[in-house]
Amino acid sequence: MDYLKIFSPATVANVSCGFDSMGFAVDAVGDEMTFTKTAEKGVKITNITGANLTYNIDENAASAVVKKMLLDANADFGIALTIHKGFSPGSGLGSSAASASGAAFGANQLLGNLYSELELTKFAMFGEEVACGTPIADNVAAAIYGGFVLVRSYEPLEIIKLPVPKDLSVVAIHPQVEIKTKDAREVLPTEIPLKNAITQWANVGGLVSGLYTDNYELISNSLVDLVAEPARKALIPFFDEVKNSAVKAGALGAGISGSGPTIYALCEGKETAQKVYKAINETYKKTNINFTLFTSKVNAAGVKILE
């Protein structure tokens, strides 16, 4: 294989109760990237569209990952990249993770599938470190494995792929406000009451169990965040109004995607998702803030080849 084009999905991290340990991939939004083998060793970015990203090889999450992989594999060829961003950086939907994960997947294809999904996740985590300063795994693992994932451990890294109930859909709204990940981290509590901690990890267990058993009521009851959401929701204009309108319209639950400002709502069935979409749209149209809104199936496949 000398060329391929891939789709790398946007991802929702945390999933309310699973702060820094859970995530899932979406189907409707993501990046498109191309990878072309070159006789000249190393990596180069030939075109970036959809966002204003750096062409500096060592500072771009995608090219940094490809460079690391080519060196690790002692490849006798190089790779030329193009990147089309299908959604905004800073949205809370894993923009840098889409770039890093897509890069890891694409480079691996040209290397003859040398690396496992777990190894690709580690390479993509390096891309996250380049972009954000921290080698976090929840977004990149969701993009690479597809569907829902649980980051069970970082040392050693252990990723568990979870099943996706067939009627599960997501509705997400991205208010056009900027929230820096650093600021969203700084508002988090350094300590939490034992009672809240017990409730939080019980909800993670409930959500995992609900995914395995297609128990939508259990999923709904488990989508409660007592750690990050209470501290971060003040950063997102009209968060409570959006969440309340989504739940009232039939959503299983709603919360902050990543560090925000995107708000996601999980729904059972396409019809409910459409009602939730309409309710959120009506709610946010009353504000003076621009926004984008989409509905999507959960992406069970993750990064995929387009051509």
Side-chain angles (χ1 to χ4, degrees), residues 24 146-148 161-168 211 214 216 298-300:
F24 66 86
F148 277 81
K161 181 165 181 175
L162 306 171
V164 180
K166 66 181 180 66
D167 291 327
L168 200 60
L211 293 172
D214 287 10
Y216 292 95
V298 175
N299 179 347

Side-chain angles (χ1 to χ4, degrees), residues 32-290:
E32 292 185 358
M33 304 171 69
T34 67
F35 302 78
T36 305
K37 269 189 181 181
T38 61
E40 183 183 355
K41 288 186 178 182
V43 58
K44 60 183 177 181
I45 304 171
T46 59
N47 195 32
I48 300 173
T49 55
N52 185 23
L53 301 179
T54 181
Y55 280 78
N56 185 307
I57 299 304
D58 296 312
E59 295 177 4
N60 183 291
S63 54
V65 168
V66 174
K67 179 180 177 180
K68 189 176 182 68
M69 292 177 68
L70 290 174
L71 289 171
D72 186 83
N74 195 26
D76 60 358
F77 61 88
I79 294 178
L81 288 175
T82 70
I83 305 167
H84 174 69
K85 297 299 294 181
F87 61 108
S88 304
S91 61
L93 286 166
S95 175
S96 59
S99 295
S101 302
F105 178 93
N108 192 45
Q109 292 293 313
L110 296 190
L111 287 166
N113 286 307
L114 194 61
Y115 299 104
S116 68
E117 288 181 327
L118 187 66
E119 290 169 323
L120 293 183
T121 301
K122 291 178 181 178
F123 282 120
M125 287 169 64
F126 172 71
E128 284 282 67
E129 186 174 18
V130 168
C132 311
T134 309
I136 49 179
D138 45 7
N139 289 101
V140 293
I144 288 169
Y145 283 79
F148 277 81
V149 295
L150 171 69
V151 184
R152 214 285 308 165
S153 168
Y154 273 89
E155 296 181 3
L157 185 65
E158 183 179 355
I159 308 297
I160 299 171
K161 181 165 181 175
L162 306 171
V164 180
K166 66 181 180 66
D167 291 327
L168 200 60
S169 293
V170 62
V171 179
I173 179 171
H174 175 207
Q176 302 299 301
V177 296
E178 182 180 5
I179 296 178
K180 291 185 169 62
T181 302
K182 180 173 178 287
D183 296 337
R185 287 274 174 186
E186 287 179 350
V187 301
L188 294 174
T190 55
E191 296 180 354
I192 57 174
L194 180 60
K195 182 181 179 181
N196 287 356
I198 292 169
T199 300
Q200 192 85 348
W201 62 58
N203 283 332
V204 172
L207 178 54
V208 171
S209 179
L211 293 172
Y212 269 100
T213 58
D214 287 10
N215 188 330
Y216 292 95
E217 183 178 3
L218 180 55
I219 291 170
S220 178
N221 292 340
S222 303
L223 290 172
V224 179
D225 178 14
L226 298 179
V227 176
E229 184 179 302
R232 286 178 165 175
K233 68 178 185 177
L235 300 174
I236 304 172
F238 305 98
F239 172 82
D240 284 333
E241 289 85 346
V242 169
K243 181 173 181 176
N244 292 338
S245 67
V247 172
K248 189 175 180 181
L252 298 169
I256 303 169
S257 177
S259 56
T262 291
I263 305 166
Y264 81 94
L266 283 177
C267 307
E268 178 185 0
K270 185 182 293 185
E271 187 176 327
T272 299
Q274 290 171 345
K275 290 178 181 177
V276 171
Y277 179 101
K278 183 178 179 181
I280 293 176
N281 187 56
E282 290 299 320
T283 297
Y284 230 80
K285 278 200 307 188
K286 297 173 185 175
T287 73
N288 292 318
I289 301 170
N290 291 329

